Amino acid sequence: MRRRALRCLAAAGVLLALTACGGSERRARAESSARTPKRQASRTPVVMFLGDSYTTGKLGQQPEQTYAAETARLLGWQVILGGYRQTGFIAKGQIGKDFAQLFTDQLAWRPAPDLVIISGGHNDRRRPAQDVGAAALGLMDTVRQRWSTSRLLLIGPMWGGGEPPQEVLEIRDAMAAAAQETKVPFIDPLQEEWITGDRKKGTGNAPQYILSDGTHPTVAGARHIAECLVADLKKLKLTKP
C-alpha cells in the first residue's frame, strides 16, 4: 500500500514537471511573437516602362540613371525597363524592332504588372503622325489583351530643348487622340514644358538638364523629369497602382 502511494506521488511529480515545461514553452512562444514586428499589409507595386533612350538610357548610359529608374526610386516601385534607344512606335533604330516587337520580346512573357508606362514618339518624327497614332493605339490594345487588369499610361514625346518641330507636335496630338480613344491617361511633357529654353543659347533650364548632344538629359535632368512625372502621377492617383 505504501509502495503504491509512493509510485502515484512520483507519477504526479513527473506530470507536473511536464505541464510546467509546456507552459513555459507556450509563454516563450507568445513573448517571441509579441516582439516580432508585423509584416506590412501593402505590396510593392510592379511597374513596367517601355520607351526609347530617355527611358532605357542612351549609348553608354546606365539604365539606373534614367528618369524611369529615378521615378521608381522616388515612389518605391519595383521597376522593369523595356525598349531601346532610337526606337519608337514605328521607328526600329539599329536594333530593328519597334515598341510592339520590343514589348513582345522583353515584357509580354512576364507576370502581369500593376502599371505599364509607354513613353516615346520622339524618334518617330519622320513618319506620318496618323501612322504613329495608329501604332500607339495598336500597342495599347496589345498590352490590354495581354494583361486585362494592368493599368496603362501614355507619355508623349520629350524634347531636349528649343522649340520642338511641327512634326513632333503632330505626333504628340496623334498620341493624345489614341489615348483618349482608349481611355488611357496621357501626359504631355511638351505642353507642361518639362524642358525649357535652348542649351546652345543658354536659356531656360536646358543648359542644366540637357547634355551637349542637345537631346538627352543629364543626371540632374533625369531627376527633374522624374519629379515632373511624379507630380503628374499624384494628380492621376497612380503613385500606388
Side-chain angles (χ1 to χ4, degrees), residues 49 52-73 79-85 106 217-219 222-223 226:
F49 281 81
D52 51 30
S53 55
Y54 265 66
T55 300
T56 63
K58 71 180 187 67
L59 182 63
Q61 182 184 17
Q62 296 176 334
E64 56 268 27
Q65 293 179 334
T66 63
Y67 83 89
E70 185 64 28
T71 299
R73 278 192 288 270
V79 68
I80 300 171
L81 303 184
Y84 202 76
R85 59 182 182 272
Q106 299 176 345
T218 61
V219 173
R223 188 177 303 113

Side-chain angles (χ1 to χ4, degrees), residues 44-50 55-56 63-82 107 110 113-117 229:
T44 302
V46 177
V47 179
M48 294 182 181
F49 281 81
L50 178 63
T55 300
T56 63
E64 56 268 27
Q65 293 179 334
T66 63
Y67 83 89
E70 185 64 28
T71 299
R73 278 192 288 270
L74 289 172
L75 295 175
W77 287 347
Q78 178 176 307
V79 68
I80 300 171
L81 303 184
L107 303 178
R110 302 174 187 270
D114 298 288
L115 174 66
V116 179
I117 298 177
L229 177 55

Side-chain angles (χ1 to χ4, degrees), residues 52 87-89 99 119-125 132 156-157 168 171 175:
D52 51 30
T87 62
F89 295 96
F99 282 173
S119 172
H122 173 101
N123 295 319
D124 293 306
R125 60 190 178 278
V132 178
V168 172
I171 285 174
M175 290 177 61

